[in-house]
Amino acid sequence: MPENEPVDPAAPWEYTHYIPNDLRAVTICRRTLRLILTMHGLIRPVDTAELLATELVSNAVRHTKGPAALRVRWTAGVLRVGAWDADPGPPEPPGNLDALTEAEGGRGLALVRACADLWGWQPLARGGNRGKYVWCDLVAA
């Protein structure tokens, strides 16, 4: 598409950013997500989306041994942020956020559940890769 051609802001789009199993990748994903959302004019949900992506990607890197990926999708006024990892097992269910305020860990999915409009997970097999995809939705205001 030529640079001067207008882009429909309502048009759906999706990005997938593959990462190694390295905690530094969490910061790289967070900054990449901020750039993607800013370039698409989605300034409002940036802080919440960053928090949720950090939790999802951090879980993927900390609790699995293989590669992972951040996936960001915009469609029909819904921003979906998710993390794929190579472990097909389900994530630990989120605890009660109030009960976890003093805990060293375990707040990730509780934060996701508290801040997202919807969240879930699904086993995923694509292109010979197995694993799971944990995602959350933010509905545009």
Side-chain angles (χ1 to χ4, degrees):
M1 171 182 347
E3 278 188 44
N4 57 357
E5 196 171 305
V7 177
D8 178 4
W13 49 261
E14 182 175 316
Y15 293 84
T16 302
H17 180 63
Y18 291 93
I19 59 171
N21 190 289
D22 182 332
L23 281 174
R24 293 172 291 194
V26 176
T27 300
I28 292 166
C29 285
R30 186 172 55 241
R31 291 182 179 165
T32 300
L33 174 65
R34 179 171 284 271
L35 180 60
I36 290 168
L37 296 180
T38 301
M39 295 302 294
H40 282 280
L42 293 170
I43 305 303
R44 251 186 156 165
V46 166
D47 292 335
T48 303
E50 263 188 336
L51 171 68
L52 300 177
T54 298
E55 295 302 335
L56 295 175
V57 172
S58 178
N59 282 349
V61 172
R62 287 179 194 271
H63 301 297
T64 67
K65 295 187 182 345
L70 169 70
R71 184 182 296 165
V72 185
R73 183 179 77 190
W74 171 259
T75 186
V78 177
L79 178 66
R80 176 164 286 183
V81 177
W84 167 83
D85 65 55
D87 180 359
E92 289 291 321
N96 182 338
L97 192 55
D98 293 333
L100 296 170
T101 55
E102 300 297 320
E104 290 283 321
R107 290 186 300 267
L109 284 180
L111 274 171
V112 170
R113 182 176 62 189
C115 296
D117 293 301
L118 186 64
W119 81 276
W121 79 278
Q122 61 200 55
L124 193 63
R126 183 183 295 176
N129 293 323
R130 291 178 32 109
K132 70 177 161 297
Y133 179 55
V134 183
W135 54 268
C136 62
D137 288 347
L138 294 173
V139 178

